[in-house]
Amino acid sequence: MDNDAYAHVNNVVYYSFFDTAVNQILIEAGVLDIQRSPVIGLVVETQCRYFAPITFPDRVCAGIRVAHIGNSSVRYEVGLFRNTEHVAAAQGHFVHVYVDRSTNRPVTLPDLLRKTVESLSRHMDQVTMDD
């Protein structure tokens, strides 16, 4: 379903990969519960550069690092890799502003979230997704 008329994954799906990869890392670290977390990240900026097509049934691996940590925001940089390739098929960034779930107003990053994203600013983490 994700392949478009040109037989490659449609570019909107790359943004879904970014979102999935970032959220998976936060969920696994215990700093995000999609249903209950009082603080959630809202996407305020994204960008993607495409270098090579991804097609179904490629296996997609996302490399993630944190490039900037603000008071209430985090800029994640993401590289998407096909199968076992070592050169990115696409790369981009994804900025979350963290807000109070009930008010949608920005909040200071909670301590555990800050520690988690600080660890990602020192090294890249990896998430694998199947298209």
Side-chain angles (χ1 to χ4, degrees):
M1 176 176 99
D2 294 334
N3 283 0
D4 63 17
Y6 304 108
H8 56 74
V9 170
N10 190 281
N11 56 350
V12 72
V13 177
Y14 289 68
Y15 290 99
S16 178
F17 287 151
F18 288 177
D19 187 49
T20 298
V22 168
N23 285 327
Q24 182 175 340
I25 284 176
L26 298 177
I27 289 166
E28 289 175 358
V31 297
L32 176 63
D33 180 322
I34 298 292
Q35 304 299 321
R36 293 180 209 86
S37 290
V39 173
I40 57 173
L42 299 181
V43 177
V44 297
E45 178 180 315
T46 62
Q47 178 266 325
C48 185
R49 290 190 180 112
Y50 307 94
F51 305 115
I54 295 174
T55 60
F56 179 82
D58 286 340
R59 186 172 187 165
V60 179
C61 180
I64 300 171
R65 77 175 201 97
V66 168
H68 176 76
I69 303 169
N71 183 51
S72 63
S73 66
V74 177
R75 177 183 165 124
Y76 300 93
E77 293 184 344
V78 183
L80 298 177
F81 300 83
R82 299 182 303 185
N83 304 313
T84 59
E85 294 180 9
H86 298 286
V87 176
Q91 70 181 35
H93 70 266
F94 199 75
V95 178
H96 272 156
V97 169
Y98 287 88
V99 301
D100 178 279
R101 180 189 292 269
S102 61
T103 66
N104 275 346
R105 300 296 307 153
V107 298
T108 300
L109 296 175
D111 290 339
L112 186 55
L113 175 60
R114 180 171 291 279
K115 287 178 183 169
T116 299
V117 297
E118 284 174 349
S119 74
L120 292 171
S121 69
R122 292 187 292 272
H123 72 280
M124 184 176 283
D125 210 336
Q126 181 177 317
V127 175
T128 302
M129 300 166 279
D130 292 317
D131 180 35

